[in-house]
Amino acid sequence: MLDTLACYIQHISCVKEFRSYTNLQINKMTHFRGTGLHLACEAENPKIISLLLENGAMIPINDTPFDKSHNDDILKMLAVAVGAEELKKAIILFL
């Protein structure tokens, strides 16, 4: 939950520090605001979004962070991440 709070208040050094925690649940969904990725998109903070995506943040199908941002660069970053995840799934299916 602290990692989500760090995303919410846009404290990039905390987000960087939390990456080293092995028990961190980067995709943990909060009851009210979504994941850390949702909050970073809402704040339109591309640095935090990039850190989260590089460290395994997933884009949920039912409640996407796409709805939280109007920044074209962030929307492109999310689209690339979704495409990369779909490509991984396709490769696994064909192996």
Side-chain angles (χ1 to χ4, degrees):
M1 199 63 103
L2 289 175
D3 58 318
T4 306
L5 179 60
C7 293
Y8 179 71
I9 60 173
Q10 300 183 50
H11 205 298
I12 196 161
S13 61
C14 286
V15 175
K16 286 179 180 179
E17 178 64 29
F18 285 130
R19 293 182 310 169
S20 65
Y21 289 70
T22 56
N23 61 345
L24 176 70
Q25 295 178 349
I26 197 165
N27 296 306
K28 178 86 172 166
M29 183 76 76
T30 63
H31 294 291
F32 303 107
R33 304 294 298 257
T35 65
L37 184 59
H38 285 89
L39 296 173
C41 287
E42 188 175 317
E44 298 193 343
N45 191 318
K47 290 181 182 178
I48 292 178
I49 293 167
S50 180
L51 277 171
L52 293 171
L53 291 172
E54 290 169 5
N55 288 277
M58 303 294 290
I59 300 174
I61 300 296
N62 58 347
D63 183 24
T64 69
F66 285 99
D67 303 334
K68 305 288 183 185
S69 179
H70 301 290
N71 181 306
D72 288 339
D73 292 333
I74 291 171
L75 294 173
K76 287 176 188 173
M77 195 182 323
L78 293 172
V80 167
V82 168
E85 189 61 34
E86 290 301 314
L87 181 61
K88 286 180 195 175
K89 289 178 187 175
I91 290 171
I92 290 170
L93 286 175
F94 290 113
L95 291 179

